[in-house]
Amino acid sequence: MEENNQQSKRKFFETGIKFGLIATAGTILATKVFGEGKSKETVELMTTDGHLVQVPASEVKEFSLKPKDYNPRVGFPDKKFVMVVDLAKCKNALKCQNACNKGHYITGENAWLKVYKMQESAETAPYFMPTQCQHCDKPPCVKVCPVDATFKREDGIVLIDNERCIGCRFCMAACPYSIRVFNWKEPEQGVIANKEEYTPDFCGEPSVKGTVDKCDFCPHQIVKGELPFCVKACPNDVFAFGDMYEDAVTNGSGETFKLSALLKDRAGHRLMEGLGTEPSVFYLPPTGRDEDAFEKGLENYNEFESVHKKE
Amino acid sequence: MIQSTIKYCKSAVLLLIVVFSFSGNTAYGQADKKSASVSIQYSKIMNEYSFLNIIAKSKGENGFEPSKNVNFTIYKSDTTGVVADVKMGEIKTNKDGKAKFIIPSKFVEQVTTYKVKLENDKIFEDTEEIISITNVNIEASIEKIDSIYNIKARLLSAKNKPMAEEALNVGLKRLFGNLSVGGEENYTTDEDGAVLVPIEKGYTGINGKLNFQVVLAESEKYGTVIANINTDFGVPIVDKSTFNERTMWSPPTKTPFFLLVIPNILLIGIWAILTLLLFNLYKIYKSKN
Amino acid sequence: MKEYDKLIQDLAPQKFGKLGQIWVGFLLAVILCALYAYYQQLSRGLSITNLNDYALWGVYISNFVFFVAVSLVGSLVTAILRLSGVTWSTPLTRIAEVIAVAAIIMAGLTIIIDMGRPDRIYNIFLHGRLQSPIIWDVLVISTYLTISLMLLFYPLLPDFAILKKHFANQPKLSKWYGKLSLNWTGSKTQEGLYNKSINTLSILIIPVAFGIHTVTAWLFATTYRPGWDSSNFGPYFIAGAFVAGAGAVVVIMFVLRKAYHLEEYITDMHFDKMGKLLVLLCLVYLYFNVNEYLVPAYKTTTEEAGHLYSLFLGDYAIMFWSAIIGGLVIPTIALLFPQGRKPLPLFIIGIFVVVGAWWKRFIIVTPTLLHPFLPFQGVPKSWHTYFPSMLEWTITFGTLASALLIMTILFRYLPIIPIHETAEEKGLLETHKTDSL
């Protein structure tokens, strides 16, 4: 009796739950999934006409932004990536810098993301300003590259092809934000996790001697639907990252904001706007901070070091 | 005397072998294994499937590190202890120490207890986590009232009873998170278990498609329940990049015309003259008198 | 007849004496050290230099700019003076052209030395972007090299024919000179082609020479940096190039005159004339320097102020003022006096000018890079200053020695003073022809 009751209960809930569309199977498989899964696990799902199918679990698991014909030089279609940096929140915790250094296996003495101690004049307030590649819409670095080794993608990200770069460093001379670094010697990166085929999508994996590196806006994170390392690591939610066409940016805590409203309310600006580079990074002014916020941040400040070396 | 020494040596050697075999064989000693901290979270996507998110971490040199490639066995458990655990499947954590286990629908009941077990791992101690979830549903739809689109959502128990005073998040799915719709972070269900949220104009989406999500977020009893509403009344996204134009920052295939024409004309002109002059040298070489 | 023979005797290439051999040996030793240093650079990367992410261009680039500058002298002496109908410069045309060719070859090699990945140089041809000033530089440098080689070779044709006869007792040498003379007999057809070609080359080389150094200037002027962001840079560089080139000619003509006993052909008059030319060029360059430094100093925008301070009063003050005063002002003053234009004084002034020109380019390249827009933070203290390392210096001296070696070898086998043209000017050709009938 118990058994029968349980059986019928089960059946009831089965049908109740299994009215799944495989729009599931249809949609998920159609929406650009490429699975890394080599496991043979399958999931039992029901099609629209009531058949039960075993779908490889891998195809229902991983999310990927890459279309079938993904080209690293073109990027993710119909997107324009932007970053918002809230200077009012930055306390020079440097977690962003550390996460970026670690995530990209940076071994030189110059980090790709640096938090500058800024003070434009003696009368104006000092503040901390995290600065990485601005992924300009009119990038001076891309203009001068003789071999098309650094390039601007359709989704706005500026990347470097370390297999083509000839190391002339013209891009470094042209960049007014000084965010590019050069591999002056063989980078001692040790064993790099995920050593797959080289792609410009993951700068620093590996770094190549005699070529240029810089912040890549983490396409290797974006493809998984995850935020760049710096955005995730910041304990004060200084960074927010997103797609300008979606008019939304998300910070490390997962809060999503309407970009246009944020820039309007907080009077966002860009660095060196007058140079006409049209950066993709917006800064929110350092207003409304605590009295001693800047002083506290000085504890962490090191004028001569941006990459911590293991002793 | 010699015989006793030999006997003593033999037992000493035997003792050493036993000691080494114990210290070498980690499968025996639990003391050498690390302890992993495991957390599980239950999520249900309406009209699709339910899954368990498993996150495994262990204390390493620099704080907590993800526990990669750890095998977990997932059971459907019975808290009354009457029925034995039913194995639902196995899964391995990825390089971020995370695993997503999709629960085969036949195991889902009104109240289901899930047990995630880590056992017989070479590096980690045996451990298990249990979570009990009461099954609830969200019905979500779009209603147009006075030419404004609204999201209507109802939180219902498994027996279709409305559930009041629960907080639902209503958001527009964006790439890295959900943008709250209607101005509030969350909305409380009324006695009908319903919320009604207006959708402001101007949201953009690819081909105008907007995916709204009504979410019961991380409830202890119910887990996370997500209802997706796909619409297409958004503003279509227009790509405004200069990627396909001929610009100074384009690849060589898209060089501005000015640069293609003028320098090449100059070069061709000059090199044509140089070629003729080289030919003159040949003519000098060939001239007879 | 006798005069003509004497002319050939005086101007024909001679074997190296003891001094010549020691000189070549010395140059080869320097080059060997440089090759070893470059091997170190290839295996260990550019970390053997003192370059860093801020001082990212250093002595290799300033050396490259120097070579491009000196190479312009070919167009100046050989082309511009020739087209203006000047005849006193005839004995100096070959010297100028040899310097130009050696300099432009070394410019091409020096820029490769600065590359982080020279093994990928083919990418320039496979994936070259016409939007990049570096590609423009590659195109004009190869064009200029071709024109310079032709402008060196054409006037050599009659001289090679003469030398073929002169070295009749050295069959191998004679054969080579014969081959290179391309069957030159001085016929009407040949003379016609010869004159037309040299005229065309002389006209063509001027815009290309202007192009080569303007484009090199644009490698800096197309960036936003203070000290480089100047609309003045093209003409400024060209004016400086003529000064450096003229100085080089003065130095080398003095050395060659002494070494090969050419006092009859390179006379005091020639020094006086070159001195006047040099002072004129220095004055023009001084004018451009005034424009380049005083105008930003008047405005003192934030970025420019820091940069100018380091040049006028700061870290680079000694280098800056030595190059300007020692390399430009004092030579100008000295050259305004006839005594300053005598051979030996002019030679010394020439050395000052050339060395000053070399340091001036160092001042143009690196100080700007040490004044970035954003604060100079997050990098080791040693990165705030730049001075080349030993290996960097070795390689640089190697390039200079290579340029001198190329010149030495060319001067060894080519008549330093154009024989045919000199004879033509002295009216010896007619008598030679009538005598041989």
Side-chain angles (χ1 to χ4, degrees):
Chain A
M1 239 338 241
E2 281 278 303
E3 288 263 341
N4 272 342
N5 266 341
Q6 288 210 338
Q7 285 258 4
S8 53
K9 262 193 204 164
R10 274 206 203 106
K11 256 206 174 137
F12 176 70
F13 286 115
E14 273 173 29
T15 28
I17 286 156
K18 270 197 228 158
F19 59 107
L21 298 222
I22 282 152
T24 298
T27 316
I28 291 175
L29 291 175
T31 47
K32 311 139 187 198
V33 170
F34 100 122
E36 287 170 12
K38 299 177 182 86
S39 70
K40 298 273 195 279
E41 278 181 65
T42 54
V43 178
E44 203 176 58
L45 298 167
M46 183 180 264
T47 62
T48 23
D49 47 3
H51 290 117
L52 288 174
V53 284
Q54 297 288 337
V55 177
S58 55
E59 282 185 292
V60 203
K61 274 186 190 148
E62 302 272 345
F63 164 79
S64 170
L65 208 54
K66 281 191 189 176
K68 273 268 148 57
D69 56 349
Y70 180 73
N71 181 348
R73 283 187 174 250
V74 177
F76 304 114
D78 295 313
K79 304 221 177 310
K80 179 180 166 24
F81 293 106
V82 293
M83 174 94 74
V84 177
V85 180
D86 193 348
L87 298 174
K89 296 203 176 102
C90 184
K91 300 191 172 81
N92 198 30
L94 290 179
K95 296 273 185 279
C96 53
Q97 190 176 86
N98 294 337
C100 176
N101 288 346
K102 190 153 170 252
H104 291 106
Y105 317 106
I106 294 175
T107 55
E109 289 176 296
N110 196 5
W112 302 352
L113 168 65
K114 292 205 286 203
V115 182
Y116 289 111
K117 177 164 78 85
M118 301 289 291
Q119 184 162 18
E120 271 88 12
S121 77
E123 281 78 37
T124 54
Y127 57 95
F128 290 104
M129 185 170 83
T131 312
Q132 74 269 69
C133 176
Q134 307 282 298
H135 296 272
C136 306
D137 284 345
K138 293 195 173 143
C141 56
V142 175
K143 279 196 221 175
V144 296
C145 179
V147 292
D148 197 25
T150 187
F151 51 92
K152 174 123 181 121
R153 309 191 331 173
E154 198 163 18
D155 57 13
I157 297 181
V158 177
L159 289 181
I160 299 170
D161 183 350
N162 291 94
E163 290 186 334
R164 195 186 286 183
C165 175
I166 59 173
C168 68
R169 311 187 295 290
F170 201 174
C171 59
M172 292 173 74
C175 177
Y177 305 99
S178 305
I179 49 85
R180 284 168 172 261
V181 309
F182 192 72
N183 292 300
W184 299 99
K185 59 178 191 223
E186 189 67 53
E188 289 136 8
Q189 292 177 311
V191 174
I192 294 181
N194 262 8
K195 204 163 170 73
E196 295 164 14
E197 200 188 312
Y198 172 78
T199 165
D201 273 15
F202 204 145
C203 197
E205 193 184 83
S207 285
V208 179
K209 175 178 100 173
T211 66
V212 181
D213 282 341
K214 69 172 186 67
C215 157
D216 56 3
F217 257 14
C218 292
H220 44 92
Q221 289 285 96
I222 297 173
V223 71
K224 298 190 278 188
E226 288 183 37
L227 292 163
F229 294 139
C230 52
V231 182
K232 281 172 84 167
C234 179
N236 301 308
D237 286 332
V238 170
F239 297 93
F241 187 77
D243 175 5
M244 191 182 222
Y245 293 152
E246 276 190 345
D247 198 18
V249 288
T250 308
N251 64 19
S253 299
E255 297 166 306
T256 306
F257 305 94
K258 197 164 176 215
L259 176 67
S260 52
L262 189 61
L263 295 179
K264 188 160 171 235
D265 291 341
R266 298 282 311 276
H269 68 273
R270 298 189 290 196
L271 283 187
M272 301 186 214
E273 186 79 53
L275 291 180
T277 53
E278 309 218 347
S280 301
V281 179
F282 295 89
Y283 287 88
L284 305 178
T287 56
R289 293 177 291 163
D290 288 339
E291 285 259 347
D292 58 350
F294 180 75
E295 271 70 40
K296 282 216 182 110
L298 281 176
E299 286 168 20
N300 244 353
Y301 175 68
N302 187 335
E303 192 186 340
F304 301 114
E305 191 183 80
S306 57
V307 180
H308 297 308
K309 301 283 189 183
K310 287 206 183 104
E311 260 91 76
Chain B
M1 182 50 174
I2 297 174
Q3 277 208 333
S4 58
T5 328
I6 291 173
K7 238 192 180 166
Y8 173 69
C9 286
K10 265 194 194 164
S11 45
V13 169
L14 216 72
L15 188 64
L16 281 170
I17 290 173
V18 171
V19 168
F20 274 123
S21 69
F22 262 98
S23 54
N25 193 344
T26 48
Y28 275 4
Q30 289 275 339
D32 294 338
K33 288 196 195 174
K34 292 202 267 192
S35 80
S37 108
V38 179
S39 65
I40 41 175
Q41 209 226 3
Y42 171 90
S43 296
K44 170 176 170 173
I45 305 178
M46 289 306 304
N47 304 329
E48 291 187 16
Y49 55 85
S50 311
F51 60 93
L52 290 172
N53 261 335
I54 304 169
I55 302 177
K57 289 190 257 211
S58 67
K59 208 152 196 189
E61 301 168 341
N62 313 308
F64 275 102
E65 287 170 357
S67 310
K68 316 170 197 174
N69 295 325
V70 179
N71 213 37
F72 285 94
T73 324
I74 299 99
Y75 298 90
K76 174 177 165 309
S77 193
D78 178 16
T79 38
T80 61
V82 172
V83 184
D85 293 344
V86 176
K87 178 170 167 183
M88 293 199 290
E90 282 180 27
I91 197 161
K92 234 185 198 168
T93 55
N94 61 13
K95 62 178 171 69
D96 295 325
K98 298 186 180 158
K100 177 174 161 182
F101 179 78
I102 296 180
I103 301 166
S105 40
K106 59 181 182 236
F107 292 112
V108 180
E109 298 174 350
Q110 188 178 357
V111 180
T112 326
T113 306
Y114 303 100
K115 188 186 279 184
V116 172
K117 250 188 176 170
L118 197 175
E119 40 194 11
N120 298 330
D121 188 274
K122 290 204 188 75
I123 310 170
F124 296 103
E125 288 175 357
D126 289 1
T127 183
E128 66 180 40
E129 284 290 320
I130 301 180
I131 185 175
S132 278
I133 297 292
T134 309
N135 194 19
V136 295
N137 293 313
I138 299 178
E139 269 177 17
S141 57
I142 299 282
E143 270 190 30
K144 198 165 183 185
I145 304 171
D146 293 334
S147 80
I148 297 177
Y149 289 104
N150 294 271
I151 294 175
K152 174 142 186 232
R154 286 184 77 206
L155 183 63
L156 303 166
S157 71
K159 296 200 173 111
N160 267 334
K161 284 220 179 78
M163 299 169 64
E165 303 294 316
E166 295 284 347
L168 290 178
N169 296 339
V170 179
L172 169 63
K173 200 167 192 314
R174 306 275 72 172
L175 187 52
F176 299 107
N178 289 354
L179 185 61
S180 294
V181 175
E184 302 285 328
E185 279 300 317
N186 50 42
Y187 298 86
T188 319
T189 53
D190 57 21
E191 61 270 345
D192 202 27
V195 296
L196 186 71
V197 180
I199 301 174
E200 65 181 75
K201 292 208 169 81
Y203 285 131
T204 56
I206 296 184
N207 295 324
K209 287 194 172 35
L210 299 174
N211 181 2
F212 293 97
Q213 283 191 337
V214 180
V215 181
L216 176 67
E218 288 176 9
S219 152
E220 274 205 50
K221 269 174 82 176
Y222 314 113
T224 300
V225 184
I226 302 169
N228 285 306
I229 316 164
N230 293 322
T231 71
D232 56 7
F233 48 74
V235 177
I237 283 177
V238 178
D239 196 311
K240 297 191 206 92
S241 81
T242 58
F243 186 76
N244 293 316
E245 295 167 26
R246 291 182 176 272
T247 62
M248 288 302 283
W249 53 91
S250 301
T253 50
K254 282 173 269 201
T255 321
F257 278 124
F258 173 87
L259 276 177
L260 269 180
V261 171
I262 310 269
N264 278 318
I265 285 182
L266 286 170
L267 281 171
I268 293 174
I270 293 176
W271 279 90
I273 297 175
L274 291 181
T275 321
L276 284 171
L277 291 174
L278 270 171
F279 190 61
N280 275 357
L281 283 174
Y282 179 71
K283 281 205 267 194
I284 289 176
Y285 179 68
K286 277 292 180 202
S287 80
K288 286 300 173 184
N289 56 338
Chain C
M1 181 64 184
K2 268 220 165 109
E3 256 196 85
Y4 184 72
D5 289 335
K6 180 174 178 304
L7 181 75
I8 299 177
Q9 188 66 34
D10 285 341
L11 301 182
Q14 302 158 24
K15 278 205 170 123
F16 280 132
K18 242 298 161 24
L19 214 58
Q21 289 172 349
I22 295 177
W23 168 246
V24 172
F26 166 69
L27 290 177
L28 284 171
V30 173
I31 292 173
L32 259 137
C33 291
L35 285 172
Y36 167 73
Y38 188 62
Y39 165 73
Q40 287 290 313
Q41 184 175 295
L42 284 176
S43 56
R44 283 155 54 190
L46 282 162
S47 60
I48 58 138
T49 67
N50 277 340
L51 294 169
N52 56 62
D53 291 340
Y54 283 89
L56 48 106
W57 280 344
V59 77
Y60 290 157
I61 294 287
S62 61
N63 198 29
F64 161 75
V65 178
F66 173 76
F67 277 130
V68 175
V70 167
S71 76
L72 253 73
V73 74
S75 68
L76 172 65
V77 174
T78 317
I80 296 179
L81 290 181
R82 174 198 293 268
L83 287 174
S84 350
V86 167
T87 49
W88 61 260
S89 58
T90 311
L92 305 175
T93 53
R94 189 147 302 144
I95 296 176
E97 207 53 52
V98 165
I99 295 175
V101 166
I104 198 65
I105 290 176
M106 288 321 297
L109 290 176
T110 307
I111 198 66
I112 295 177
I113 292 174
D114 181 69
M115 280 167 67
R117 295 300 301 247
D119 56 310
R120 294 177 181 175
I121 196 171
Y122 55 85
N123 278 339
I124 289 185
F125 305 103
L126 234 54
H127 302 286
R129 289 176 72 247
L130 267 176
Q131 295 100 319
S132 169
I134 285 186
I135 295 293
W136 308 339
D137 222 9
V138 170
L139 291 169
V140 273
I141 286 185
S142 32
T143 312
Y144 188 75
L145 175 61
T146 312
I147 298 182
S148 295
L149 281 170
M150 285 216 265
L151 205 50
L152 177 66
F153 187 61
Y154 258 99
L156 279 168
L157 290 175
D159 284 6
F160 281 146
I162 293 171
L163 290 177
K164 173 176 156 198
K165 283 201 207 101
H166 178 82
F167 285 110
N169 57 341
Q170 289 181 55
K172 226 165 150 203
L173 201 58
S174 175
K175 195 173 85 166
W176 270 111
Y177 280 128
K179 277 207 166 108
L180 288 168
S181 74
L182 299 184
N183 296 341
W184 176 264
T185 54
S187 69
K188 275 249 169 350
T189 339
Q190 288 181 335
E191 283 263 348
L193 288 165
Y194 172 87
N195 283 321
K196 224 165 102 185
S197 301
I198 292 188
N199 263 346
T200 313
L201 283 167
S202 303
I203 298 173
L204 205 57
I205 201 177
I206 297 173
V208 178
F210 271 68
I212 197 185
H213 217 37
T214 306
V215 167
T216 305
W218 287 355
L219 291 177
F220 307 99
T222 49
T223 69
Y224 299 112
R225 296 180 182 260
W228 288 0
D229 181 19
S230 160
S231 46
N232 200 23
F233 247 44
Y236 169 59
F237 268 47
I238 290 181
F242 285 147
V243 167
V249 169
V250 156
V251 169
I252 291 182
M253 78 194 225
F254 181 86
V255 170
L256 291 174
R257 185 176 94 135
K258 268 240 149 52
Y260 289 95
H261 313 292
L262 299 166
E263 287 80 0
E264 268 189 56
Y265 305 91
I266 302 179
T267 64
D268 283 15
M269 180 270 288
H270 291 100
F271 280 92
D272 186 64
K273 285 272 189 334
M274 276 305 294
K276 284 186 180 151
L277 181 60
L278 187 56
V279 79
L280 173 65
L281 295 169
C282 284
L283 285 168
V284 172
Y285 190 46
L286 254 175
Y287 168 72
F288 275 105
N289 272 281
V290 164
N291 271 275
E292 186 61 31
Y293 291 108
L294 290 192
V295 171
Y298 184 90
K299 289 186 284 206
T300 50
T301 58
T302 318
E303 277 86 34
E304 285 283 357
H307 172 243
L308 287 171
Y309 179 84
S310 75
L311 290 184
F312 292 165
L313 297 168
D315 287 341
Y316 288 97
I318 297 178
M319 208 185 280
F320 177 76
W321 291 115
S322 311
I324 295 278
I325 297 179
L328 206 53
V329 175
I330 293 182
T332 310
I333 298 174
L335 289 171
L336 287 169
F337 297 98
Q339 292 94 316
R341 300 194 290 272
K342 290 242 156 64
L344 187 58
L346 184 54
F347 169 68
I348 296 174
I349 292 172
I351 293 181
F352 272 89
V353 167
V354 172
V355 173
W358 195 92
W359 281 108
K360 184 72 171 31
R361 270 130 197 97
F362 186 86
I363 296 227
I364 289 175
V365 172
T366 309
T368 289
L369 292 166
L370 294 175
H371 288 276
F373 284 96
L374 290 177
F376 207 139
Q377 296 168 5
V379 292
K381 198 147 187 221
S382 60
W383 287 28
H384 290 244
T385 53
Y386 166 76
F387 194 74
S389 66
M390 275 314 288
L391 288 173
E392 251 179 303
W393 277 124
T394 311
I395 293 178
T396 305
F397 280 124
T399 60
L400 293 165
S402 303
L404 290 170
L405 186 63
I406 295 176
M407 289 188 236
T408 308
I409 294 181
L410 287 174
F411 288 138
R412 157 70 181 88
Y413 288 101
L414 307 176
I416 294 166
I417 298 180
I419 304 176
H420 178 81
E421 287 185 63
T422 314
E424 205 171 28
E425 257 157 46
K426 293 200 172 184
L428 295 174
L429 279 184
E430 294 304 318
T431 47
H432 170 69
K433 281 207 176 107
T434 37
D435 276 350
S436 63
L437 272 172

